[in-house]
Amino acid sequence: GAKRLCSMPDRLTTKVSSEKCRPCVTTSYSDVAVLSDDSKWWQEWLRYVFDEKGGVAKRLKFLDNKKYPAITDEEVKISRPLQVFCLAAFDKSLIGLIGEVDANWAETKKILVDALVERKVTATIDILERVAREGREVICLQEVSEQMRDGIAKSAVLTEKFDCLYGPDFDTTRNQNSIVLASKIFFESGVWEVVSVDKSKLPAGLASGDLCVVREVSLDDNNTGRKPFVIASFHGDTNGLQTINVIKAVNSECGGPNSTLIFALDANCHCDDNKGKRLSIETMFASLASENLENCWGTEHSLCPTTTCNARSFLQPQLNKAVFYKDKLTSALVDRHPKDHVFVSSETFAVNPERSSRVNDVSDETVFRWVDDMPFPTLSFPSDHALVTFELECM
């Protein structure tokens, strides 16, 4: 809780690499034989934490009671070994607790890890290929990893239909990048340039790869009869406090009369502002009212649908953020907010909000669906944000 004696070491020791993580309930470790045997688990846990070459114990730092005032001076002095002790006790307690409920919990966990971790990229590519076959002209993605980018490059369906576009700041360490897939048929020239937005207009702390803005290059033999498009993809910070400034900066750079801007984003806006601590959907609409941009959900912020639905269980160290199953749709701690949007230049594009839709269920291979009150990700839908689709008409 307030002392961070479990949650801090849990965060710092979760994984060494994509292939190696801490053997416990809360990580993606899924060796059933180890998790089901106390002796094997303890030996594996000790090796992971204290291994001379790669042990994660060395990552732990002394805690500061100026930042976490609940920690006593004596606890500060021993906070490194104390974190190791608390982490071991926490991991073993969860294994014992969940084992009492279900003796086969490790097999269940392996199913979840396979679907949501090991096969996440493959499942996402499958969904994108289905979207491509529907004839979509633009796909904007956020929080794209290097593995996902490579998966797109290996997909025959996606590479045949789309150019995969991203900026020079694509970050293969942080692995939360925004990219654009542009139709090779609709955008006939296939030539794009990355737009460098004026950094002085962008908010401080904007992370590498979060914003991708590309402009279609018009060639001499372009007989489409339209202006080149500008497409932006953006991933907002957790509380959405950067979102408005980023939208305004991009619109200032690429907007103006007869602008062709299409801006798709995970705005990370919320139903309320939590006393000014985060961006509300109402504030976002009001702040952008003079920007000549239209939201594809419509003109009323109250009509924007939620595009996330998930919450923390008690199988994690920050119990103050956990939600009881019976409260999975009603608790203020549930992430159930209208976070995903597309803004377009209102002078150039006409939007029919009735054709805007969201998807959180792809279990039927013949149709995309939205299921109300269903938490996600699920075994078949690996994202914690809905897939949202919009249709535009050039005026």
Side-chain angles (χ1 to χ4, degrees):
K3 295 188 178 185
R4 302 302 301 273
L5 290 169
C6 282
S7 58
M8 184 59 71
D10 172 71
R11 175 186 296 178
L12 295 175
T13 66
T14 293
K15 61 170 59 177
V16 173
S17 65
S18 58
E19 292 81 25
K20 187 177 182 181
C21 55
R22 197 172 83 248
C24 60
V25 173
T26 60
T27 70
S28 57
Y29 187 92
S30 60
D31 188 325
V32 175
V34 172
L35 293 175
S36 303
D37 186 302
D38 280 349
S39 178
K40 290 180 180 179
W41 168 79
W42 181 234
Q43 292 304 313
E44 186 64 25
W45 195 93
L46 290 174
R47 276 193 294 271
Y48 180 83
V49 174
F50 294 110
D51 180 81
E52 187 174 338
K53 292 183 179 179
V56 295
K58 64 187 71 174
R59 296 182 179 180
L60 302 181
K61 304 181 185 301
F62 286 99
L63 297 175
D64 184 355
N65 56 5
K66 292 181 180 178
K67 187 173 184 180
Y68 308 112
I71 305 174
T72 67
D73 291 339
E74 288 301 311
E75 288 171 335
V76 168
K77 294 177 182 177
I78 60 170
S79 57
R80 288 189 70 196
L82 187 57
Q83 288 177 80
V84 174
F85 173 81
C86 289
L87 185 63
F90 172 75
D91 285 347
K92 182 62 183 79
S93 296
L94 282 192
I95 287 177
L97 178 66
I98 199 169
E100 289 185 8
V101 175
D102 181 7
N104 298 317
W105 71 272
E107 286 87 348
T108 302
K109 182 185 180 184
K110 182 169 177 54
I111 293 173
L112 293 172
V113 171
D114 287 346
L116 300 176
V117 181
E118 302 296 337
R119 293 195 68 259
K120 181 175 182 178
V121 169
T122 301
T124 304
I125 296 296
D126 288 345
I127 294 171
L128 292 177
E129 289 179 348
R130 288 176 61 179
V131 172
R133 293 187 182 99
E134 289 187 344
R136 300 291 175 176
E137 281 86 21
V138 178
I139 300 175
C140 292
L141 304 173
Q142 295 84 40
E143 295 192 85
V144 173
S145 65
E146 181 181 26
Q147 186 182 10
M148 175 65 72
R149 183 186 65 179
D150 293 345
I152 292 172
K154 294 175 183 177
S155 165
V157 173
L158 296 178
T159 53
E160 178 187 359
K161 294 180 178 292
F162 295 98
D163 287 312
C164 182
L165 311 169
Y166 47 88
D169 62 343
F170 190 99
D171 191 333
T172 58
T173 300
R174 184 166 169 266
N175 268 332
Q176 294 186 5
N177 301 278
S178 299
I179 69 172
V180 173
L181 302 183
S183 168
K184 292 180 178 180
I185 296 176
F186 186 84
F187 303 103
E188 294 179 6
S189 75
V191 181
W192 297 83
E193 63 180 359
V194 175
V195 177
S196 297
V197 180
D198 186 346
K199 291 186 178 181
S200 68
K201 296 180 180 179
L202 292 171
L206 185 66
S208 295
D210 271 347
L211 175 65
C212 172
V213 186
V214 292
R215 180 187 287 115
E216 184 186 12
V217 176
S218 180
L219 302 182
D220 293 339
D221 60 352
N222 187 342
N223 297 313
T224 61
R226 59 171 176 77
K227 291 182 64 178
F229 278 43
V230 179
I231 306 172
S233 179
F234 173 64
H235 169 235
D237 59 294
T238 301
N239 292 315
L241 300 180
Q242 297 176 340
T243 296
I244 291 173
N245 287 336
V246 169
I247 295 174
K248 288 184 175 181
V250 173
N251 196 37
S252 174
E253 190 84 35
C254 307
N258 301 314
S259 167
T260 55
L261 176 63
I262 299 174
F263 198 154
L265 68 161
D266 165 10
N268 267 328
C269 54
H270 300 74
C271 294
D272 61 84
D273 67 359
N274 191 23
K275 300 179 180 179
K277 296 179 181 178
R278 62 193 187 189
L279 176 66
S280 70
I281 183 69
E282 182 177 5
T283 299
M284 184 175 74
F285 267 63
S287 300
L288 300 174
S290 62
E291 291 292 311
N292 293 320
L293 294 172
E294 183 175 354
N295 190 301
C296 287
W297 292 120
T299 57
E300 297 294 329
H301 74 270
S302 59
L303 298 180
C304 291
T306 58
T307 57
T308 59
C309 185
N310 57 78
R312 296 194 189 204
S313 73
F314 284 85
L315 297 179
Q316 46 86 32
Q318 292 184 275
L319 300 183
N320 57 312
K321 298 181 179 180
V323 174
F324 286 100
Y325 183 78
K326 65 181 178 63
D327 302 323
K328 68 182 184 298
L329 299 175
T330 57
S331 170
L333 296 173
V334 176
D335 181 0
R336 198 180 188 198
H337 298 281
K339 292 188 173 183
D340 300 280
H341 302 264
V342 172
F343 287 95
V344 298
S345 300
S346 56
E347 296 179 358
T348 304
F349 297 107
V351 179
N352 181 1
E354 294 182 0
R355 299 288 292 173
S356 301
S357 65
R358 53 192 171 147
V359 173
N360 65 357
D361 179 24
V362 297
S363 56
D364 186 334
E365 295 185 0
T366 63
V367 65
F368 285 142
R369 297 188 302 169
W370 171 262
V371 180
D372 282 325
D373 300 339
M374 182 179 77
F376 57 97
T378 65
L379 292 179
S380 62
F381 189 81
S383 174
D384 59 354
H385 283 249
L387 167 68
V388 295
T389 63
F390 307 96
E391 294 186 10
L392 309 176
E393 181 180 347
C394 294
M395 293 191 295

